[in-house]
Every structure is written in structure tokens, then in C-alpha cells.
Amino acid sequence: MKSILVIEDDTDIAFSLKYNLEKSGAYRVTTAEDGEVGLERAVRQPPNLIVLDLNLPGIDGLDVCRQLRRNETTASVPIIMVTARVEETQRIQGLDLGADDYVTKPFSIKELLARVRAVLRRAERDAEGESGVLKAADLTVDLDGRQVRVGRRSVELTRKEFDLLVALIRNRGRVLTRDRLLEQVWGYDYPGETRTVDVHIRRVRQKLGPTGKENIETVVGVGYRFRGGA
């Protein structure tokens, strides 16, 4: 049975999440009413996944996410952000700090459950590990160390950014739809929130610099393609 920590200050939402997640029979859920308590519980007994509200009293969700990723004990724990904020910058901040996905309030329990299953499946596949090195354009991607270099420059990518880049390179020259990328990188088995893909593509391009802008091509109305050769 997988353990999930829900960090949410709205008691009604926290209760609903706990009830519905545990009702599936696959999860054991612990809740925390603020960021400080959530951090303490996550570090003391790391869960398999964290559902994190951004709008928390005291330490807000972005800072909680930042501290979770900096702590060796919780650095690899998958995080799904829950936010009522509509500003794109907030979502980008959270994803850039290392969150795996986000859900915007109001959301359906069915959607959240699907995303929980998808993120956990992806985490299990990541844990199995890959080996080898991918080369494309002036990129070197070390699958064992999960490191990326552009020429001699090291590039810091979040886990999902890294996985997205690997998916694009493995399929170089082919157009991957947003739904296909959601399936390959996030593990979604249904047409989901494709905006997640767009946000991550933007961040990968920015971090790779000219190499990203030249080689990660937007195919309007379809998806994305990596153009660089070996």
C-alpha cells in the first residue's frame, strides 16, 4: 500500500482527499494542516507521494516544495501541487522547483486520482533506472547520473524536464503530440492537461539556451519534435 501525505489547510478538502484516496484501497493517507507540520512529517517518514496546496498559512507551498527538494530524505518524493491560483507564473515556479504536476482548484476527485496513479507509476519506472549516454546536437545526456551537458556546460534540469528531454531525443526527427508526451513522461493514459507539457518545454528550452531553441521545434497544432542529429 502506497503512503500519501496531503498538506492542505482547508479541513474539508483535506478530509475529502483522505477519504477518497483511502476509499480506493490502494493508499494510506496522512494529512498536515500547514507547511511546517507537513515538512516535519515528510522528513520524519517520507511518503510515496505528496499532495501539496500552494496557498498555505505560514510557510507557503512553494517554499515547502523548495525545502522538500533540498532535503536529501525527500528530494525524490513525487509532488503534485494543488492551487487555486490562476497565475501561470505560480505554476511555473512550482514546476521549476521540482514539482511533478499540478491540479487547479476546483478539481474533480476522479482527475486527482488519475494523476496520483500516473505520478506513482512514473516514479516506479524511474526507480528501475536506465543506463547509457544519449548524444544529440551538442548535448550529452547521462542516463545513469541523470546529468545533462551542452558542450562543456552542465545544465540543471528537474526530474520531469530531464525525462521530457530524453523522450524527445529518443524520438528525434519524429513529432510527439502533447498527449503522447503526457503518456510517456507523466504516465497519463488519457488526454490530460496538455499545458503541463508546454510549461516544461519552455523551461527546457530556456535552460539549454540556443541549443534548446534550435533543436526543440514546435509543430503548430500537433506537438514537439527534436531536430538535432547524433
PDB file of all heavy atoms in Angstrom, residues 190-215:
ATOM      1  N   TYR A 190      -4.763   8.933 -20.478  1.00  0.00           N
ATOM      2  CA  TYR A 190      -5.935   9.589 -21.042  1.00  0.00           C
ATOM      3  C   TYR A 190      -5.530  10.991 -21.453  1.00  0.00           C
ATOM      4  O   TYR A 190      -4.525  11.518 -20.971  1.00  0.00           O
ATOM      5  CB  TYR A 190      -7.069   9.668 -20.015  1.00  0.00           C
ATOM      6  CG  TYR A 190      -6.784  10.635 -18.888  1.00  0.00           C
ATOM      7  CD1 TYR A 190      -7.395  11.887 -18.848  1.00  0.00           C
ATOM      8  CD2 TYR A 190      -5.885  10.311 -17.881  1.00  0.00           C
ATOM      9  CE1 TYR A 190      -7.119  12.778 -17.834  1.00  0.00           C
ATOM     10  CE2 TYR A 190      -5.605  11.216 -16.861  1.00  0.00           C
ATOM     11  CZ  TYR A 190      -6.232  12.435 -16.837  1.00  0.00           C
ATOM     12  OH  TYR A 190      -5.943  13.307 -15.824  1.00  0.00           O
ATOM     13  N   PRO A 191      -6.278  11.666 -22.357  1.00  0.00           N
ATOM     14  CA  PRO A 191      -5.928  13.041 -22.754  1.00  0.00           C
ATOM     15  C   PRO A 191      -6.040  13.963 -21.544  1.00  0.00           C
ATOM     16  O   PRO A 191      -7.124  14.198 -21.019  1.00  0.00           O
ATOM     17  CB  PRO A 191      -6.981  13.379 -23.825  1.00  0.00           C
ATOM     18  CG  PRO A 191      -7.445  12.068 -24.332  1.00  0.00           C
ATOM     19  CD  PRO A 191      -7.400  11.143 -23.141  1.00  0.00           C
ATOM     20  N   GLY A 192      -4.922  14.480 -21.072  1.00  0.00           N
ATOM     21  CA  GLY A 192      -4.921  15.261 -19.830  1.00  0.00           C
ATOM     22  C   GLY A 192      -4.663  16.730 -20.058  1.00  0.00           C
ATOM     23  O   GLY A 192      -4.971  17.280 -21.100  1.00  0.00           O
ATOM     24  N   GLU A 193      -4.062  17.359 -19.069  1.00  0.00           N
ATOM     25  CA  GLU A 193      -3.788  18.785 -19.087  1.00  0.00           C
ATOM     26  C   GLU A 193      -2.512  19.036 -19.874  1.00  0.00           C
ATOM     27  O   GLU A 193      -1.407  18.950 -19.340  1.00  0.00           O
ATOM     28  CB  GLU A 193      -3.661  19.283 -17.639  1.00  0.00           C
ATOM     29  CG  GLU A 193      -3.256  20.745 -17.507  1.00  0.00           C
ATOM     30  CD  GLU A 193      -4.159  21.665 -18.299  1.00  0.00           C
ATOM     31  OE1 GLU A 193      -5.247  21.964 -17.816  1.00  0.00           O
ATOM     32  OE2 GLU A 193      -3.750  22.082 -19.404  1.00  0.00           O
ATOM     33  N   THR A 194      -2.666  19.319 -21.169  1.00  0.00           N
ATOM     34  CA  THR A 194      -1.502  19.450 -22.037  1.00  0.00           C
ATOM     35  C   THR A 194      -0.690  20.703 -21.736  1.00  0.00           C
ATOM     36  O   THR A 194       0.450  20.809 -22.178  1.00  0.00           O
ATOM     37  CB  THR A 194      -1.930  19.460 -23.516  1.00  0.00           C
ATOM     38  OG1 THR A 194      -2.861  20.523 -23.739  1.00  0.00           O
ATOM     39  CG2 THR A 194      -2.573  18.139 -23.889  1.00  0.00           C
ATOM     40  N   ARG A 195      -1.257  21.643 -20.989  1.00  0.00           N
ATOM     41  CA  ARG A 195      -0.500  22.850 -20.640  1.00  0.00           C
ATOM     42  C   ARG A 195       0.739  22.502 -19.818  1.00  0.00           C
ATOM     43  O   ARG A 195       1.750  23.197 -19.883  1.00  0.00           O
ATOM     44  CB  ARG A 195      -1.415  23.809 -19.862  1.00  0.00           C
ATOM     45  CG  ARG A 195      -0.800  25.172 -19.578  1.00  0.00           C
ATOM     46  CD  ARG A 195      -0.431  25.879 -20.875  1.00  0.00           C
ATOM     47  NE  ARG A 195       0.147  27.175 -20.625  1.00  0.00           N
ATOM     48  CZ  ARG A 195       0.964  27.796 -21.454  1.00  0.00           C
ATOM     49  NH1 ARG A 195       1.295  27.220 -22.601  1.00  0.00           N
ATOM     50  NH2 ARG A 195       1.448  28.983 -21.158  1.00  0.00           N
ATOM     51  N   THR A 196       0.675  21.426 -19.077  1.00  0.00           N
ATOM     52  CA  THR A 196       1.826  20.953 -18.311  1.00  0.00           C
ATOM     53  C   THR A 196       3.021  20.727 -19.237  1.00  0.00           C
ATOM     54  O   THR A 196       4.156  21.106 -18.919  1.00  0.00           O
ATOM     55  CB  THR A 196       1.485  19.636 -17.586  1.00  0.00           C
ATOM     56  OG1 THR A 196       0.409  19.858 -16.689  1.00  0.00           O
ATOM     57  CG2 THR A 196       2.682  19.100 -16.819  1.00  0.00           C
ATOM     58  N   VAL A 197       2.771  20.126 -20.397  1.00  0.00           N
ATOM     59  CA  VAL A 197       3.843  19.864 -21.363  1.00  0.00           C
ATOM     60  C   VAL A 197       4.436  21.170 -21.861  1.00  0.00           C
ATOM     61  O   VAL A 197       5.663  21.337 -21.921  1.00  0.00           O
ATOM     62  CB  VAL A 197       3.321  19.029 -22.550  1.00  0.00           C
ATOM     63  CG1 VAL A 197       4.416  18.847 -23.604  1.00  0.00           C
ATOM     64  CG2 VAL A 197       2.813  17.679 -22.072  1.00  0.00           C
ATOM     65  N   ASP A 198       3.585  22.129 -22.204  1.00  0.00           N
ATOM     66  CA  ASP A 198       4.062  23.405 -22.741  1.00  0.00           C
ATOM     67  C   ASP A 198       4.959  24.141 -21.745  1.00  0.00           C
ATOM     68  O   ASP A 198       5.983  24.708 -22.127  1.00  0.00           O
ATOM     69  CB  ASP A 198       2.875  24.297 -23.115  1.00  0.00           C
ATOM     70  CG  ASP A 198       2.022  23.702 -24.224  1.00  0.00           C
ATOM     71  OD1 ASP A 198       2.556  22.908 -25.012  1.00  0.00           O
ATOM     72  OD2 ASP A 198       0.822  24.021 -24.286  1.00  0.00           O
ATOM     73  N   VAL A 199       4.569  24.135 -20.485  1.00  0.00           N
ATOM     74  CA  VAL A 199       5.358  24.801 -19.452  1.00  0.00           C
ATOM     75  C   VAL A 199       6.741  24.162 -19.344  1.00  0.00           C
ATOM     76  O   VAL A 199       7.763  24.849 -19.277  1.00  0.00           O
ATOM     77  CB  VAL A 199       4.631  24.757 -18.091  1.00  0.00           C
ATOM     78  CG1 VAL A 199       5.557  25.230 -16.969  1.00  0.00           C
ATOM     79  CG2 VAL A 199       3.373  25.626 -18.128  1.00  0.00           C
ATOM     80  N   HIS A 200       6.780  22.833 -19.340  1.00  0.00           N
ATOM     81  CA  HIS A 200       8.064  22.145 -19.218  1.00  0.00           C
ATOM     82  C   HIS A 200       8.935  22.345 -20.453  1.00  0.00           C
ATOM     83  O   HIS A 200      10.158  22.519 -20.333  1.00  0.00           O
ATOM     84  CB  HIS A 200       7.825  20.651 -18.969  1.00  0.00           C
ATOM     85  CG  HIS A 200       7.527  20.316 -17.544  1.00  0.00           C
ATOM     86  ND1 HIS A 200       6.313  20.574 -16.961  1.00  0.00           N
ATOM     87  CD2 HIS A 200       8.297  19.750 -16.583  1.00  0.00           C
ATOM     88  CE1 HIS A 200       6.347  20.170 -15.702  1.00  0.00           C
ATOM     89  NE2 HIS A 200       7.531  19.672 -15.442  1.00  0.00           N
ATOM     90  N   ILE A 201       8.344  22.312 -21.638  1.00  0.00           N
ATOM     91  CA  ILE A 201       9.108  22.556 -22.864  1.00  0.00           C
ATOM     92  C   ILE A 201       9.760  23.930 -22.810  1.00  0.00           C
ATOM     93  O   ILE A 201      10.942  24.100 -23.156  1.00  0.00           O
ATOM     94  CB  ILE A 201       8.195  22.454 -24.110  1.00  0.00           C
ATOM     95  CG1 ILE A 201       7.815  21.002 -24.391  1.00  0.00           C
ATOM     96  CG2 ILE A 201       8.864  23.094 -25.322  1.00  0.00           C
ATOM     97  CD1 ILE A 201       8.924  20.166 -24.999  1.00  0.00           C
ATOM     98  N   ARG A 202       9.010  24.912 -22.373  1.00  0.00           N
ATOM     99  CA  ARG A 202       9.540  26.278 -22.285  1.00  0.00           C
ATOM    100  C   ARG A 202      10.749  26.336 -21.354  1.00  0.00           C
ATOM    101  O   ARG A 202      11.769  26.956 -21.672  1.00  0.00           O
ATOM    102  CB  ARG A 202       8.452  27.223 -21.785  1.00  0.00           C
ATOM    103  CG  ARG A 202       8.916  28.685 -21.692  1.00  0.00           C
ATOM    104  CD  ARG A 202       7.849  29.558 -21.064  1.00  0.00           C
ATOM    105  NE  ARG A 202       6.568  29.399 -21.727  1.00  0.00           N
ATOM    106  CZ  ARG A 202       5.425  29.895 -21.258  1.00  0.00           C
ATOM    107  NH1 ARG A 202       5.408  30.542 -20.110  1.00  0.00           N
ATOM    108  NH2 ARG A 202       4.302  29.721 -21.928  1.00  0.00           N
ATOM    109  N   ARG A 203      10.644  25.656 -20.224  1.00  0.00           N
ATOM    110  CA  ARG A 203      11.741  25.693 -19.259  1.00  0.00           C
ATOM    111  C   ARG A 203      12.973  24.956 -19.789  1.00  0.00           C
ATOM    112  O   ARG A 203      14.105  25.408 -19.603  1.00  0.00           O
ATOM    113  CB  ARG A 203      11.286  25.059 -17.941  1.00  0.00           C
ATOM    114  CG  ARG A 203      10.120  25.766 -17.266  1.00  0.00           C
ATOM    115  CD  ARG A 203      10.422  27.204 -16.968  1.00  0.00           C
ATOM    116  NE  ARG A 203      11.517  27.365 -16.045  1.00  0.00           N
ATOM    117  CZ  ARG A 203      12.036  28.539 -15.711  1.00  0.00           C
ATOM    118  NH1 ARG A 203      11.564  29.649 -16.240  1.00  0.00           N
ATOM    119  NH2 ARG A 203      13.038  28.606 -14.863  1.00  0.00           N
ATOM    120  N   VAL A 204      12.760  23.838 -20.461  1.00  0.00           N
ATOM    121  CA  VAL A 204      13.891  23.087 -21.023  1.00  0.00           C
ATOM    122  C   VAL A 204      14.601  23.925 -22.076  1.00  0.00           C
ATOM    123  O   VAL A 204      15.836  24.011 -22.102  1.00  0.00           O
ATOM    124  CB  VAL A 204      13.423  21.743 -21.624  1.00  0.00           C
ATOM    125  CG1 VAL A 204      14.563  21.069 -22.390  1.00  0.00           C
ATOM    126  CG2 VAL A 204      12.915  20.813 -20.525  1.00  0.00           C
ATOM    127  N   ARG A 205      13.843  24.576 -22.943  1.00  0.00           N
ATOM    128  CA  ARG A 205      14.450  25.435 -23.962  1.00  0.00           C
ATOM    129  C   ARG A 205      15.293  26.536 -23.322  1.00  0.00           C
ATOM    130  O   ARG A 205      16.415  26.816 -23.756  1.00  0.00           O
ATOM    131  CB  ARG A 205      13.364  26.075 -24.824  1.00  0.00           C
ATOM    132  CG  ARG A 205      12.809  25.181 -25.925  1.00  0.00           C
ATOM    133  CD  ARG A 205      11.706  25.913 -26.653  1.00  0.00           C
ATOM    134  NE  ARG A 205      11.207  25.183 -27.805  1.00  0.00           N
ATOM    135  CZ  ARG A 205       9.971  25.275 -28.242  1.00  0.00           C
ATOM    136  NH1 ARG A 205       9.103  26.063 -27.616  1.00  0.00           N
ATOM    137  NH2 ARG A 205       9.586  24.595 -29.301  1.00  0.00           N
ATOM    138  N   GLN A 206      14.728  27.169 -22.302  1.00  0.00           N
ATOM    139  CA  GLN A 206      15.448  28.265 -21.648  1.00  0.00           C
ATOM    140  C   GLN A 206      16.752  27.775 -21.033  1.00  0.00           C
ATOM    141  O   GLN A 206      17.799  28.420 -21.154  1.00  0.00           O
ATOM    142  CB  GLN A 206      14.565  28.895 -20.569  1.00  0.00           C
ATOM    143  CG  GLN A 206      13.392  29.696 -21.107  1.00  0.00           C
ATOM    144  CD  GLN A 206      12.483  30.205 -20.011  1.00  0.00           C
ATOM    145  OE1 GLN A 206      12.553  29.767 -18.856  1.00  0.00           O
ATOM    146  NE2 GLN A 206      11.597  31.120 -20.364  1.00  0.00           N
ATOM    147  N   LYS A 207      16.708  26.624 -20.382  1.00  0.00           N
ATOM    148  CA  LYS A 207      17.899  26.121 -19.689  1.00  0.00           C
ATOM    149  C   LYS A 207      18.974  25.633 -20.664  1.00  0.00           C
ATOM    150  O   LYS A 207      20.166  25.759 -20.385  1.00  0.00           O
ATOM    151  CB  LYS A 207      17.505  25.004 -18.723  1.00  0.00           C
ATOM    152  CG  LYS A 207      16.692  25.501 -17.536  1.00  0.00           C
ATOM    153  CD  LYS A 207      16.345  24.376 -16.573  1.00  0.00           C
ATOM    154  CE  LYS A 207      15.563  24.898 -15.373  1.00  0.00           C
ATOM    155  NZ  LYS A 207      15.268  23.847 -14.375  1.00  0.00           N
ATOM    156  N   LEU A 208      18.542  25.092 -21.797  1.00  0.00           N
ATOM    157  CA  LEU A 208      19.515  24.623 -22.792  1.00  0.00           C
ATOM    158  C   LEU A 208      20.076  25.763 -23.628  1.00  0.00           C
ATOM    159  O   LEU A 208      21.087  25.589 -24.310  1.00  0.00           O
ATOM    160  CB  LEU A 208      18.877  23.581 -23.708  1.00  0.00           C
ATOM    161  CG  LEU A 208      18.415  22.268 -23.061  1.00  0.00           C
ATOM    162  CD1 LEU A 208      17.841  21.342 -24.127  1.00  0.00           C
ATOM    163  CD2 LEU A 208      19.547  21.579 -22.310  1.00  0.00           C
ATOM    164  N   GLY A 209      19.407  26.932 -23.598  1.00  0.00           N
ATOM    165  CA  GLY A 209      19.885  28.081 -24.355  1.00  0.00           C
ATOM    166  C   GLY A 209      19.679  27.898 -25.844  1.00  0.00           C
ATOM    167  O   GLY A 209      18.686  27.299 -26.283  1.00  0.00           O
ATOM    168  N   PRO A 210      20.606  28.398 -26.677  1.00  0.00           N
ATOM    169  CA  PRO A 210      20.448  28.307 -28.136  1.00  0.00           C
ATOM    170  C   PRO A 210      20.230  26.877 -28.627  1.00  0.00           C
ATOM    171  O   PRO A 210      19.479  26.651 -29.579  1.00  0.00           O
ATOM    172  CB  PRO A 210      21.769  28.872 -28.665  1.00  0.00           C
ATOM    173  CG  PRO A 210      22.212  29.814 -27.590  1.00  0.00           C
ATOM    174  CD  PRO A 210      21.805  29.167 -26.299  1.00  0.00           C
ATOM    175  N   THR A 211      20.860  25.905 -27.970  1.00  0.00           N
ATOM    176  CA  THR A 211      20.682  24.506 -28.373  1.00  0.00           C
ATOM    177  C   THR A 211      19.223  24.082 -28.249  1.00  0.00           C
ATOM    178  O   THR A 211      18.684  23.388 -29.117  1.00  0.00           O
ATOM    179  CB  THR A 211      21.568  23.574 -27.523  1.00  0.00           C
ATOM    180  OG1 THR A 211      22.941  23.852 -27.814  1.00  0.00           O
ATOM    181  CG2 THR A 211      21.281  22.116 -27.826  1.00  0.00           C
ATOM    182  N   GLY A 212      18.577  24.490 -27.165  1.00  0.00           N
ATOM    183  CA  GLY A 212      17.174  24.142 -26.978  1.00  0.00           C
ATOM    184  C   GLY A 212      16.271  24.817 -27.987  1.00  0.00           C
ATOM    185  O   GLY A 212      15.368  24.192 -28.554  1.00  0.00           O
ATOM    186  N   LYS A 213      16.527  26.099 -28.227  1.00  0.00           N
ATOM    187  CA  LYS A 213      15.687  26.849 -29.160  1.00  0.00           C
ATOM    188  C   LYS A 213      15.855  26.366 -30.601  1.00  0.00           C
ATOM    189  O   LYS A 213      14.913  26.385 -31.392  1.00  0.00           O
ATOM    190  CB  LYS A 213      16.016  28.339 -29.051  1.00  0.00           C
ATOM    191  CG  LYS A 213      15.662  28.924 -27.689  1.00  0.00           C
ATOM    192  CD  LYS A 213      16.144  30.360 -27.534  1.00  0.00           C
ATOM    193  CE  LYS A 213      15.843  30.890 -26.138  1.00  0.00           C
ATOM    194  NZ  LYS A 213      16.368  32.250 -25.917  1.00  0.00           N
ATOM    195  N   GLU A 214      17.068  25.921 -30.945  1.00  0.00           N
ATOM    196  CA  GLU A 214      17.326  25.477 -32.310  1.00  0.00           C
ATOM    197  C   GLU A 214      16.817  24.057 -32.567  1.00  0.00           C
ATOM    198  O   GLU A 214      16.444  23.719 -33.695  1.00  0.00           O
ATOM    199  CB  GLU A 214      18.836  25.515 -32.589  1.00  0.00           C
ATOM    200  CG  GLU A 214      19.405  26.923 -32.645  1.00  0.00           C
ATOM    201  CD  GLU A 214      20.932  26.912 -32.656  1.00  0.00           C
ATOM    202  OE1 GLU A 214      21.519  25.805 -32.748  1.00  0.00           O
ATOM    203  OE2 GLU A 214      21.526  28.000 -32.561  1.00  0.00           O
ATOM    204  N   ASN A 215      16.798  23.214 -31.535  1.00  0.00           N
ATOM    205  CA  ASN A 215      16.526  21.794 -31.755  1.00  0.00           C
ATOM    206  C   ASN A 215      15.170  21.302 -31.272  1.00  0.00           C
ATOM    207  O   ASN A 215      14.687  20.277 -31.753  1.00  0.00           O
ATOM    208  CB  ASN A 215      17.627  20.958 -31.101  1.00  0.00           C
ATOM    209  CG  ASN A 215      18.954  21.089 -31.808  1.00  0.00           C
ATOM    210  OD1 ASN A 215      19.150  20.553 -32.886  1.00  0.00           O
ATOM    211  ND2 ASN A 215      19.868  21.840 -31.206  1.00  0.00           N
TER     212      ASN A 215
END
